[in-house]
Amino acid sequence: MVKPAAPALSMNLDPAGITLEGGKGLAKQLCLALRQRILATPDTYRIKLPTSRNLALALKVSRNTVVRAYEQLYAEGYISSRVGDGTYADGLAAAVTAAPAAPAAAAPAMQLSSMQQRLSGFEARRRRFDGPARAFRLGIPAYDLFPSAIWARLQGNFWRRAPLAQMGYGEAAGDVRLRELIAAYLRQARGLVCEPSQIMITAGAQHGIALCAQLLLDAGDKVVVENPCYPAAAAALALSGAQLVGIGLDQDGMDTSRLALHGDCRLAYVTPSHQYPVGVTLSLARRLELLAWAERHDSWIIEDDYDGEYRYDGTPLAPLAALDHNARVLYVGTFSKIAFPGLRLGYLVLPPKLAPALGALRAMGDRHPPAADQAVMAEFIAAGHFQRHIRRMRRASRSRRDALLAAWEPLFGAQLPLPKVAAGLHLSLPLASAQQETELVAKAIAAGVEINPLSRFCIPGLAMNPQHRAGLALGFAGVDEAAIRHALLLLQQAWR
């Protein structure tokens, strides 16, 4: 069955910008100007032209001038009309009838800035996540369980009241009420004592990391990163002109004994609660060693607590920021892993001495976060929905983790044993070789199952533990138990 073509979108032609010079053939000038507008419009649009009377009034010419221009366009096949419906130009038809354009002259080579050079090739390396979540996509919570009806009601309440105080420009750091509620939540749930003045609302964790890099780093500064690590964070640091220094991981997280070799590093980026992507937790002894290193060398630490709410076994360790008595840690939090990634809301908890400067930097970019989203999130927290949703998401993610572990064991457990998973939204397992990693990932993708190679998170040329050079990373929270079991059966067929 042939799928019907999508209906063309309509667009009214706006004569603004069309200028005609007297004494040079007004009708011909107008015909050329309209033809250019038609050809410049995407071929998925039908362009409705003004009536000859209205166009003549707008351009301050005689109606006869417009009629002659329209007649020429009719003759050339650019426009058509139906009685009672108006005059239209079909973008596709216009493109077909247009004469082929002459080849453009070669443009002179453009001199790139240092930022453009660092960005070169980055777009091609970005991971794209198209369509709904599927097994085993990384970084995706159980957003199929998000209480959208509650959110819609709160959003409707906001717009029905239309608070004038929140309709204008706001503070660069974000809505005060939301910052107060985040501070209260962090004290209660994460043991992190902070003031609302230390909190800045961001457009997610990545935005927060990029702001920190912009503020704290100069070109050439050295930055410690876990290796393997979160690629987008490493990219944000590298785009600031920083030189990345890798430190490997073991069962206790980053090997902080190696920090003694890197006293000249300006900053360290870590994911201590649940290392991304390996999944280990930084031990208390190493957290204290990392904090001591930062104090000793006048360095900063960016703590990315991207999925700290997801702890399934044991008592979670306090965040680095809660142990920091010397104001060295910048804490990155996000609502993406609790609500849904498309919300684009997160927050930073800053050392007090950095808050004014980062607020000024934020104001130079996007000025302040969207008022409506902040207000709705504030009410979502204040009414108790946020804490209830966290508990629901934690239960769902634990159930989905258990479904993966239980179904994996009889199928692949002998050859590919999974590690214990005490926290987070994903797991990783090492493999014997890069060749095995390539083969398993390629077969999985061919079967419609999304699995990431662990090597994608490794920064070439930097120090790392050899056991993390090849492996598989699987997200388990984004789809339900039935979808997980179905995906594993597909893998069984693909990996046979």
Side-chain angles (χ1 to χ4, degrees):
M1 180 177 177
V2 178
K3 189 175 181 180
L9 302 172
S10 292
M11 174 185 292
N12 291 329
L13 187 141
D14 186 344
I18 295 178
T19 57
L20 306 177
E21 298 182 32
K24 294 186 178 181
L26 295 179
K28 184 177 181 180
Q29 292 180 63
L30 179 57
C31 181
L32 291 172
L34 292 174
R35 185 189 297 141
Q36 289 173 353
R37 290 286 180 93
I38 292 168
L39 292 175
T41 304
D43 56 20
T44 53
Y45 285 86
R46 291 184 71 229
I47 311 152
K48 185 172 184 179
L49 278 69
T51 65
S52 58
R53 186 184 304 277
N54 289 340
L55 186 55
L57 290 171
L59 298 178
K60 296 183 173 58
V61 297
S62 73
R63 188 179 178 190
N64 286 338
T65 296
V66 178
V67 169
R68 287 198 301 272
Y70 277 11
E71 287 175 345
Q72 182 63 33
L73 293 171
Y74 278 125
E76 295 175 358
Y78 284 93
I79 62 177
S80 61
S81 66
R82 287 183 295 179
V83 176
D85 190 28
T87 302
Y88 286 88
D90 187 313
L92 180 59
V96 170
T97 58
M110 181 175 63
Q111 184 174 354
L112 301 179
S113 69
S114 58
M115 174 60 78
Q116 288 173 297
Q117 293 173 28
R118 290 193 292 269
L119 280 168
S120 177
F122 175 70
E123 182 65 23
R125 296 195 301 271
R126 289 182 61 203
R127 297 285 291 179
R128 287 170 175 79
F129 304 103
D130 298 326
R134 59 175 178 163
F136 294 98
R137 183 170 295 174
L138 291 175
I140 300 297
Y143 61 74
D144 54 310
L145 302 179
F146 184 73
S148 53
I150 293 174
W151 188 266
R153 175 168 54 80
L154 296 177
Q155 197 163 54
N157 291 342
F158 173 83
W159 287 114
R160 277 190 292 273
R161 289 194 302 267
L164 296 180
Q166 291 175 290
M167 301 288 279
Y169 293 112
E171 292 186 39
D175 181 77
V176 172
R177 183 175 183 236
L178 179 56
R179 289 188 282 139
E180 289 173 345
L181 288 163
I182 291 172
Y185 164 72
L186 291 174
R187 284 195 297 270
Q188 181 272 327
R190 308 291 289 135
L192 173 53
V193 179
C194 60
E195 297 299 323
S197 60
Q198 294 175 251
I199 295 175
M200 170 176 288
I201 308 301
T202 66
Q206 182 65 24
H207 182 218
I209 295 166
L211 283 172
C212 294
Q214 283 182 269
L215 180 70
L216 299 177
L217 297 175
D218 292 322
D221 283 347
K222 293 182 179 180
V223 175
V224 166
V225 296
E226 304 157 323
N227 196 20
C229 76
Y230 177 44
L237 297 167
L239 286 175
S240 70
Q243 177 184 340
L244 302 184
V245 175
I247 292 186
L249 309 159
D250 58 23
Q251 69 277 6
D252 291 322
M254 176 193 279
D255 182 4
T256 50
S257 66
R258 308 294 297 175
L259 289 171
L261 304 174
H262 305 295
D264 57 344
C265 287
R266 175 72 172 156
L267 184 149
Y269 167 80
V270 291
T271 51
S273 294
H274 184 237
Q275 202 279 332
Y276 193 94
V278 174
V280 294
T281 298
L282 190 65
S283 68
L284 177 60
R286 291 189 177 182
R287 291 172 189 239
L288 297 176
E289 190 172 0
L290 177 58
L291 290 169
W293 168 84
E295 174 63 16
R296 191 161 54 247
H297 298 287
D298 192 23
S299 301
W300 301 101
I301 300 170
I302 297 177
E303 177 183 11
D304 186 354
D305 197 21
Y306 65 99
D307 65 357
E309 286 83 4
Y310 293 95
R311 188 81 188 181
Y312 311 121
D313 303 310
T315 303
L317 294 174
L320 272 175
L323 303 172
D324 177 25
H325 302 299
N326 297 299
R328 292 286 165 186
V329 177
L330 296 87
Y331 179 90
V332 179
T334 180
F335 292 113
S336 294
K337 300 299 185 285
I338 290 296
F340 54 95
L343 180 61
R344 307 317 308 144
L345 268 184
Y347 54 91
L348 290 171
V349 181
L350 304 165
K353 57 191 173 186
L354 290 182
L358 203 61
L361 176 62
R362 169 65 181 273
M364 294 298 103
D366 59 350
R367 189 138 189 178
H368 62 79
D373 289 343
Q374 292 183 89
V376 174
M377 179 55 77
E379 189 59 33
F380 191 71
I381 297 172
H385 303 302
F386 183 66
Q387 291 277 39
R388 283 192 292 273
H389 186 55
I390 287 176
R391 291 192 291 270
R392 185 185 187 194
M393 293 287 276
R394 193 181 289 129
R395 287 194 300 269
S397 297
R398 180 189 289 114
S399 176
R400 295 175 183 191
R401 175 204 66 171
D402 293 345
L404 173 59
L405 297 177
W408 183 280
E409 179 60 30
L411 297 177
F412 313 113
Q415 297 83 19
L416 300 171
L418 292 182
K420 293 182 178 179
V421 185
L425 302 173
H426 74 274
L427 59 83
S428 69
L429 66 151
L431 295 175
S433 67
Q435 180 181 355
Q436 185 186 21
E437 178 193 78
T438 300
E439 291 176 356
L440 292 179
V441 170
K443 290 178 179 179
I445 292 174
V449 180
E450 189 172 305
I451 289 182
N452 280 270
L454 192 60
S455 60
R456 184 175 79 81
F457 305 94
C458 300
I459 305 175
L462 303 189
M464 65 178 299
N465 189 329
Q467 79 175 84
H468 296 137
R469 293 189 185 280
L472 303 177
L474 293 82
F476 53 77
V479 296
D480 63 21
E481 293 83 351
I484 288 172
R485 288 189 285 268
H486 176 68
L488 290 179
L489 292 177
L490 293 177
L491 284 183
Q492 183 185 30
Q493 295 293 322
W495 289 350
R496 180 179 297 174

